[in-house]
């Protein structure tokens, strides 16, 4: 119990002294994660689309060669960036560029660090998304493509209006996954000096050695961010699904009447009936039988 | 003499070593309602899919008003916009409402204005009795309704020929009628139709020509009266006998 109180005390001390540093870290983390996820998704979308352009034996050799070349390039990109740690990629790019250009071009200063971070996280996300998008596209029922082709749509039109909207909906969970992974994994960007949420922690504990209390703040902070992110993504998915019900449009008064009335021989309360019949009905309701039966 | 719309000449199709269509010759003239019957695997659907270029013929020609569309130089997309197709599995676009399904082709392919497209779509949806459902998504309506929307979608492109690939085979028995009724109305209005079907009553009563296919060849081609009452070939007789028994 004492320990918990002590922890509470430490946390409040940290928070009152460094809350702006933490918030600044959170802000940077979020900006980097959002921007990199968006750019990464675009890269993935382009790669996935290029990767699924169909070709057949009857196409010209030039077209086939280019399409195959594109597939090889995308494949290499995906395998390289999916297959190496992001920390290493950051170091590789951040220090590799000035190394090769003899310092002429470098990610210098604050903006350079941002640029390098966004670049690394984006192409990393792109590599994962390329495969997700490809999967999303090939998972759409071939009947959809046939239906579009049958009304004369070209491949581009089919993709734009029929396949991609459906594929995008299907890969929304993947996009969400990547966004949440990015919120967390941007922390490795401390290696090139990027100050995000985790780097803020490293900075603060470097001053006062309160490792554990600060880590608690970090844990709660990250969890809050990711929970909020997944909540928002669920909401977005629901919006994309649209309404689960629909309204019938009454074109003219007869349309609705048709079909809603399924037993013509039974009659309805609004039918024209003879006076005699109405009288019989009245008696039946009143006495439980008609006069004739009595 | 009615105008010839489609002419299939020496059409063959094989998937690998499996020959599905052998040397098919076949003509469609304006106003024809042709039923293509035959056992499963006899190549009926493949013939239809070849005509719409969803399958590339291995050899042979498909002449549309005299132009060979099986040739690579002709734009398949453009040709397909003149030849409508209705599928067994409906193939409505799942991401669009009923109305959008009927509009997208007109707007994208025929480059019509939105209002015009909507008007045409509404006209054809009304015709198939689906106008009240314009705001529904395909997953929200029944099979028979989907198929009627699919027919409206094909009609909205104002095609010269309409191909039906077993339009009622995926439907529950009580929904077959509503689709066949729509098709019958179209036939009576003079729409040129090619119907692959297992509905013998439709083939007999609605079509003006019946083609019986067996093992990738056209076995018999004639008027419904002739095919159903006095088939010339033994295979046709055997095939139809199986239907009478059930």
């Amino acid at each position: 119990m004492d320990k918990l109180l002590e922890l509470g005390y430490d946390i409040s001390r940290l928070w009152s002294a460094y809350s702006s540093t933490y918030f600044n870290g959170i802000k940077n983390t979020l900006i980097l994660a959002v921007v990199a996820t968006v750019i990464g998704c675009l890269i993935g979308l382009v790669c996935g689309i290029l990767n699924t352009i169909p070709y057949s034996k009857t196409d010209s050799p030039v077209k086939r060669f280019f399409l195959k070349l594109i597939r090889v390039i995308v494949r290499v990109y995906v395998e390289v960036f999916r297959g190496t740690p992001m920390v290493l990629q950051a170091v590789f790019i951040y220090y590799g560029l000035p190394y090769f250009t003899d310092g002429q071009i470098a990610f210098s200063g604050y903006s350079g660090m941002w640029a390098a971070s966004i670049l690394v996280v984006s192409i990393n996300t792109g590599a994962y998304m390329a495969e997700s998008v490809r999967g999303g596209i090939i998972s759409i029922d071939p009947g959809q493509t046939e239906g579009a082709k049958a009304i004369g749509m070209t491949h581009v039109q089919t993709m734009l209006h029929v396949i991609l909207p459906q594929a995008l909906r299907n890969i929304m969970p993947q996009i969400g996954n990547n966004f949440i992974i990015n919120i967390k994994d941007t922390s490795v960007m401390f290696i090139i000096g990027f100050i995000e949420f985790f780097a803020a922690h490293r900075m603060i504990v470097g001053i006062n050695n309160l490792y554990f209390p600060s880590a608690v703040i970090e844990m709660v902070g990250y969890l809050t961010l990711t929970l909020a992110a997944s909540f928002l993504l669920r909401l977005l998915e629901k919006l994309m699904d649209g309404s689960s019900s629909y309204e019938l449009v009454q074109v003219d008064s007869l349309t609705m009447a048709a079909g809603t009335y399924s037993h013509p021989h039974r009659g309805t309360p609004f039918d024209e009936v003879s006076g005699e019949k109405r009288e019989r009905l009245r008696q039946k309701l009143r006495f439980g039988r008609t006069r004739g039966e009595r | 003499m009615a105008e010839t719309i489609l002419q299939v000449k020496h059409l063959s199709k094989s998937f690998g070593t499996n020959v599905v269509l052998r040397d098919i010759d076949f003509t469609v003239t304006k106003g024809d309602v042709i039923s293509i019957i035959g056992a499963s695997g006899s190549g009926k659907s493949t013939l239809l899919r070849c005509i719409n270029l969803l399958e590339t013929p291995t050899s042979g020609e498909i002449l549309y008003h005299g132009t060979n569309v099986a040739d690579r130089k002709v734009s398949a997309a453009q040709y397909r916009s003149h030849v409508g197709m209705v599928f067994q599995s409906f193939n409505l676009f799942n991401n669009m409402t009923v109305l959008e399904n009927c509009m997208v082709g007109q707007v994208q392919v025929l480059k019509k204005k939105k209002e015009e497209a909507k008007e045409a779509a509404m006209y054809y949806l009304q015709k198939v009795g689906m106008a009240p459902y314009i705001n529904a998504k395909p997953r929200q309506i029944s099979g028979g309704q989907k198929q009627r929307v699919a027919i409206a979608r094909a009609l909205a492109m104002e095609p010269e020929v309409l191909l039906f690939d077993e339009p009622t085979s995926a439907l529950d028995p009580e929904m077959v009628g509503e689709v066949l009724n729509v098709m019958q109305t179209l036939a009576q209005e003079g729409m040129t139709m090619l119907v692959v079907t297992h509905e013998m009553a439709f083939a007999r009563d609605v079509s003006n020509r019946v083609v019986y296919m067996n093992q990738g060849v056209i076995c018999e081609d004639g008027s419904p009266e002739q095919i159903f009452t006095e088939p010339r070939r033994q295979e046709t007789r055997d095939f139809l006998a199986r239907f009478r028994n059930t």
Side-chain angles (χ1 to χ4, degrees), chain A residues 56 58-59 141-154 157 161-163 165-166 240-252 255-256, chain B residues 49 52 54 56 72 77-78 80-81 83-85 87 91-96 104-105 108-109 111 122 126 131-137 139-141 153 157:
Chain A
S56 62
T58 47
D59 283 327
D141 173 23
Q144 297 284 310
T145 314
E146 286 188 354
K149 275 183 171 177
I151 54 172
M153 286 166 91
T154 60
Q157 288 170 335
H161 299 280
V162 179
I163 305 298
Q166 295 183 49
M240 285 175 89
D241 283 342
S243 160
S244 59
S245 61
Y246 60 91
E247 299 222 335
L248 288 178
V249 177
Q250 202 161 341
V251 179
D252 58 55
T255 322
M256 277 306 287
Chain B
R49 291 170 62 84
N52 205 11
L54 286 175
T56 318
R72 274 269 132 198
Q78 187 147 37
R80 285 197 197 105
S81 68
V83 181
M85 179 131 178
F87 298 88
N91 295 354
L92 290 178
F93 307 135
N94 295 327
N95 55 324
M96 300 179 198
V104 65
Q108 297 301 327
V109 181
K111 311 287 178 205
M122 284 309 291
Q126 203 134 24
Y133 296 88
I134 49 172
N135 293 329
K137 288 275 178 82
R139 66 186 141 89
Q140 294 163 328
I141 55 179
R153 177 176 74 178
M157 299 299 290

Side-chain angles (χ1 to χ4, degrees), chain B residues 121-165:
Chain B
M122 284 309 291
Y123 173 76
Y124 289 109
L125 281 169
Q126 203 134 24
K127 192 168 193 147
V128 300
M130 284 302 291
Y133 296 88
I134 49 172
N135 293 329
K137 288 275 178 82
R139 66 186 141 89
Q140 294 163 328
I141 55 179
S142 74
Q145 292 176 325
K146 279 185 206 170
Q147 196 59 295
R148 286 187 282 150
V149 173
I151 292 173
R153 177 176 74 178
L155 285 173
M157 299 299 290
E158 285 165 0
E160 264 201 281
V161 193
L162 209 46
L163 312 175
F164 291 84
D165 187 6

Side-chain angles (χ1 to χ4, degrees), chain A residues 9 35 117 122 205 214 220 292:
Chain A
Y9 174 68
V35 172
S117 303
S122 297
V205 297
S214 179
V220 172

Side-chain angles (χ1 to χ4, degrees), chain A residues 51-118:
Chain A
N51 232 345
T52 50
I53 298 174
Y55 60 84
S56 62
K57 279 184 207 153
T58 47
D59 283 327
S60 70
V62 184
K63 184 180 171 190
R64 267 158 60 197
F65 174 76
F66 270 107
L67 288 177
K68 275 185 187 162
L69 187 67
I70 286 173
R71 287 184 192 193
V72 170
I73 292 171
V74 171
R75 191 69 205 251
V76 169
Y77 160 63
V78 168
E79 294 299 343
V80 167
F81 282 92
R82 212 171 50 170
T84 52
M86 195 158 76
V87 199
L88 203 56
Q89 291 164 19
V91 174
F92 195 79
I93 290 176
Y94 191 71
Y95 296 106
L97 196 61
Y99 185 88
F100 267 99
T101 56
D102 283 330
Q104 297 291 315
I105 311 166
F107 295 105
S108 57
Y110 187 68
S111 59
M113 201 174 60
W114 267 99
S117 303
I118 289 174

Side-chain angles (χ1 to χ4, degrees), chain A residues 89-267:
Chain A
Q89 291 164 19
V91 174
F92 195 79
I93 290 176
Y94 191 71
Y95 296 106
L97 196 61
Y99 185 88
F100 267 99
T101 56
D102 283 330
Q104 297 291 315
I105 311 166
F107 295 105
S108 57
Y110 187 68
S111 59
M113 201 174 60
W114 267 99
S117 303
I118 289 174
L119 181 71
V120 171
V121 183
S122 297
I123 51 182
N124 225 282
T125 312
Y128 282 96
M129 282 311 293
E131 284 298 284
S132 300
V133 172
R134 193 173 70 92
I137 290 172
I138 58 179
S139 73
I140 302 297
D141 173 23
Q144 297 284 310
T145 314
E146 286 188 354
K149 275 183 171 177
I151 54 172
M153 286 166 91
T154 60
H155 178 71
V156 175
Q157 288 170 335
T158 307
M159 275 311 230
L160 228 53
H161 299 280
V162 179
I163 305 298
L164 283 181
Q166 295 183 49
L168 271 183
R169 170 62 191 88
N170 287 352
I171 59 170
M172 268 312 282
Q174 274 301 318
I175 294 178
N177 254 345
N178 272 307
F179 181 49
I180 284 169
I181 288 174
N182 279 348
I183 289 178
K184 298 182 300 169
D185 284 8
T186 44
S187 58
V188 301
M189 286 303 140
F190 76 85
I191 201 94
I192 55 170
F194 188 84
I195 309 290
E196 37 64 47
F197 196 28
F198 182 65
H201 158 83
R202 286 167 54 89
M203 246 169 60
I204 291 163
V205 297
I207 302 167
N208 53 26
N209 269 354
L210 288 171
Y211 281 93
F212 181 66
S214 179
V216 172
I217 294 177
E218 293 280 312
M219 286 290 252
V220 172
Y222 271 116
L223 201 59
T224 312
L225 289 184
T226 51
L227 284 177
S230 50
F231 174 76
L232 286 176
L233 286 159
R234 282 282 159 87
L235 209 65
L236 187 62
E237 280 184 38
K238 257 194 182 159
L239 279 176
M240 285 175 89
D241 283 342
S243 160
S244 59
S245 61
Y246 60 91
E247 299 222 335
L248 288 178
V249 177
Q250 202 161 341
V251 179
D252 58 55
S253 51
L254 281 178
T255 322
M256 277 306 287
T260 53
Y261 173 40
S262 49
H263 299 283
H265 57 280
R266 281 190 205 162

